[in-house]
Amino acid sequence: MAEQQKARKVVPVPTLHFSEGAQAGRTIRLDHEVGTVGRREDNAYVIQDPRVSRVHAEVRRVASAVLVTDLDSSAGTSVNGEPITGPRSLHHGDRVAFGPVVTVFEDPAVAAQHEDDTLVLTMPTPEELETPHLSKRQLEVLQGMAQGKTNNQIGEELGVTERTVKAYAQELFDKLGARNRAGAVAEAARLKLL
């Protein structure tokens, strides 16, 4: 009998989210300790845009901090409109531009820690209007996935078959626009559903 492999726990990681231009809607998960950003395919984080240098910048995760450094790119790297010359620490919500290509740095862990009880009324963004509604059972399956549980383990906890859990998982993938468990958990974390 083949040994059953335990599913890995998916931990939300910081991301760079493209909100404008040809890349709009795309998200890059910053899941490498050290990785380069550029248009060349061997970069850890590839941005397919001719205005981005082949190897444009470096992103380094040090403990809970994320640092970005320009690597003498032709168009430069800036954070919140300020060109950077050395390593620059990123904060949740920072606008990071690789040349003219602008991204927004999002850190789910930091964002969750800094929520306060102040009520601020704002108009919902298009993303918020498109946040999918998940049923209680779908949320329970999603939480099991985030904890690294297998479909069988989730089914045992919820009192349903593994096949039923797979059906819920497929519904989650469809609603969240994900191709797999890791993608579903990351998107749910980005949408603050977890």
Side-chain angles (χ1 to χ4, degrees), residues 9-15 29 61 107-109 146 185-186 189-190 194:
K9 183 174 182 174
V10 179
V11 178
V13 297
T15 60
R29 288 174 46 89
R61 290 175 54 198
D107 189 344
V185 170
R190 188 181 74 78
L194 280 175

Side-chain angles (χ1 to χ4, degrees), residues 36-187:
T36 54
V37 178
R39 72 172 190 265
R40 212 168 59 192
E41 292 295 324
D42 61 345
N43 286 292
Y45 312 112
V46 178
I47 300 175
Q48 291 292 341
D49 190 298
R51 301 168 299 173
V52 173
S53 294
R54 288 182 183 96
V55 181
H56 197 102
E58 176 188 83
V59 175
R60 179 180 298 267
R61 290 175 54 198
V62 180
S64 62
V66 177
L67 306 173
V68 64
T69 307
D70 186 73
L71 297 176
D72 295 324
S73 64
S74 58
T77 304
S78 65
V79 176
N80 298 324
E82 297 176 23
I84 61 171
T85 55
R88 172 77 179 265
S89 181
L90 298 179
H91 299 60
H92 180 73
D94 280 350
R95 293 177 59 81
V96 184
F98 303 98
V101 178
V102 179
T103 65
V104 177
F105 176 72
E106 297 177 356
D107 189 344
V110 172
Q113 291 173 357
H114 293 293
E115 290 179 357
D116 59 20
D117 295 329
T118 305
L119 178 62
V120 178
L121 299 176
T122 59
M123 289 297 292
T125 65
E127 285 181 13
E128 290 170 332
L129 291 173
E130 295 174 12
T131 299
H133 172 73
L134 302 182
S135 70
K136 180 181 178 218
R137 186 63 84 178
Q138 288 169 336
L139 280 171
E140 291 170 339
V141 170
L142 184 61
Q143 289 167 346
M145 288 179 178
Q147 294 167 359
K149 295 178 181 171
T150 64
N151 289 342
N152 191 36
Q153 291 169 327
I154 295 169
E156 286 176 8
E157 266 186 23
L158 301 178
V160 297
T161 65
E162 183 176 1
R163 185 174 177 174
T164 301
V165 173
K166 286 181 182 178
Y168 280 119
Q170 188 58 55
E171 290 172 4
L172 287 167
F173 298 162
D174 293 343
K175 283 187 174 184
L176 296 171
R179 295 189 316 197
N180 55 36
R181 293 166 67 109
V185 170
E187 182 63 10

